[in-house]
């Protein structure tokens, strides 16, 4: 398993195949991922812990543990852990390449 440190927390690849990837995502309280979209993959998220505010397109949705959400290919999205640490399982489907991130906005200026 490969763990990557990010300015907002960490993510760990727990399963990787040619057409899907499963990741464990940990977003530290008070941080959020970049507002982004992907050209080559969709994502399914399952909340394990915390109450993230998810941006999906123009909507902002507050999720709880055991909630899940589908992010279709090309949809703008973000995970915001404003109030508590957030743990999510992410399943990427399609061409799962870390270079397939188009950032719309990023608190960390990447």
């Amino acid at each position: 398993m490969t763990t990557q440190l990010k300015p907002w927390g960490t993510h760990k690849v727990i399963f990787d195949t040619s057409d899907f990837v499963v990741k464990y995502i940990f977003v530290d309280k008070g941080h959020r991922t970049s507002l982004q979209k992907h050209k080559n993959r969709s994502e399914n998220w399952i909340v394990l812990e915390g109450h993230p505010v998810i941006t999906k397109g123009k909507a902002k949705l507050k999720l709880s543990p055991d909630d899940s959400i589908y992010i279709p290919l090309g949809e703008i999205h973000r995970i915001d852990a404003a109030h508590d640490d957030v743990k999510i399982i992410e399943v990427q489907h399609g061409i799962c390449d870390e270079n397939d991130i188009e950032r719309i906005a990023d608190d960390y200026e990447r």
Side-chain angles (χ1 to χ4, degrees), residues 36-45 55-57 69-77 91 93 100:
Q36 60 186 259
K37 64 182 178 177
H38 309 289
K39 293 179 184 175
N40 298 308
R41 71 175 187 248
S42 60
E43 298 175 345
N44 282 283
W45 295 340
T55 300
K56 180 181 177 187
I69 190 166
Y70 173 67
I71 309 295
L73 182 134
E75 183 76 78
I76 293 171
H77 59 280
V91 180
H93 186 259
D100 183 31

Side-chain angles (χ1 to χ4, degrees), residues 28-74:
D28 296 321
K29 178 181 176 180
H31 293 272
R32 60 187 182 170
T33 63
S34 61
L35 186 64
Q36 60 186 259
K37 64 182 178 177
H38 309 289
K39 293 179 184 175
N40 298 308
R41 71 175 187 248
S42 60
E43 298 175 345
N44 282 283
W45 295 340
I46 302 166
V47 179
L48 302 175
E49 188 176 296
H51 296 86
V53 175
I54 303 298
T55 300
K56 180 181 177 187
K58 294 182 180 181
K60 290 192 184 275
L61 309 160
K62 187 168 184 178
L63 301 186
S64 297
D66 295 328
D67 287 343
S68 63
I69 190 166
Y70 173 67
I71 309 295
L73 182 134

Side-chain angles (χ1 to χ4, degrees), residues 21 32 79:
V21 172
R32 60 187 182 170
I79 302 167

